[in-house]
Amino acid sequence: LNAVNFLDNMDGLCCGVGAICSLAFMVAAGMQGQYLVALLAAVTSGACFGFYMYNCNPASIFLGDSGSHFVGYMLGVLGVMVTYSDGSLIQASFPLLIPVLILAVPLFDLASVVVIRTRHGKPVYVGDHNHISHRFVKMGFSRRSSVLLVHAISLVFCAAGLALIRAN
């Protein structure tokens, strides 16, 4: 999930969103009785939270490409491993939407940056300041506030995804 790598553009952003999303996958797996998957998600979330203490602004250590790719890989694996439906007809339309909602922030950031870069005729692999966090800074938020706002948005979408597990 290279979308998570795109989020590694401000101190604490990638590992914070990774911790929130993996925590949501842990709750989803626990709600479905998949306790080994929930344990894997808890370990991923714990590692991200522990790393966040040293990666928040001002950062003393950084994820880099290998760290952000690993967090993205773990989120991708967790998104596939959790079973979102109990097989009943009531939940037939929601299982595909749940992991998309949980990963909405990285996916939205990736999609918006790719569209913006394509419209401007720039290669998608060349970095710029069109990420959601940078747009919040351009709106007047501080870098720390921008990161916390993205975390809050991620929490809202994760909560919405978790609510769909029991929706009828």
Side-chain angles (χ1 to χ4, degrees), residues 64-84:
D65 282 343
S66 60
S68 61
H69 278 111
F70 181 73
V71 171
Y73 171 77
M74 291 306 297
L75 291 178
V77 166
L78 291 169
V80 171
M81 287 182 72
V82 178
T83 303
Y84 303 99

Side-chain angles (χ1 to χ4, degrees), residues 5-150:
N5 182 39
F6 273 37
L7 277 181
D8 193 21
N9 57 52
M10 284 190 184
D11 292 346
L13 185 61
C14 180
C15 62
V17 170
I20 292 166
C21 293
S22 57
L23 189 65
F25 284 128
M26 180 192 77
V27 172
M31 289 172 71
Q32 300 296 5
Q34 296 177 290
Y35 301 115
L36 290 175
V37 177
L39 180 64
L40 179 63
V43 168
T44 303
S45 182
C48 287
F49 273 125
F51 193 84
Y52 182 79
M53 299 302 170
Y54 299 98
N55 186 241
C56 63
N57 194 353
S60 58
I61 56 175
F62 303 97
L63 277 174
D65 282 343
S66 60
S68 61
H69 278 111
F70 181 73
V71 171
Y73 171 77
M74 291 306 297
L75 291 178
V77 166
L78 291 169
V80 171
M81 287 182 72
V82 178
T83 303
Y84 303 99
S85 176
D86 59 3
S88 67
L89 200 55
I90 295 171
Q91 294 179 334
S93 62
F94 295 137
L96 293 177
L97 188 57
I98 295 168
V100 171
L101 279 173
I102 291 174
L103 296 172
V105 169
L107 294 175
F108 171 78
D109 186 56
L110 173 75
S112 65
V113 167
V114 166
V115 167
I116 290 169
R117 289 178 186 173
T118 303
R119 279 188 181 170
H120 290 108
K122 296 180 181 177
V124 257
Y125 54 84
V126 175
D128 59 14
H129 293 286
N130 289 317
H131 295 276
I132 187 171
S133 55
H134 292 123
R135 285 185 263 164
F136 286 141
V137 170
K138 288 177 189 174
M139 291 170 57
F141 290 95
S142 68
R143 292 176 73 84
R144 181 175 283 189
S145 296
S146 174
V147 168
L148 293 176
L149 185 57
V150 173

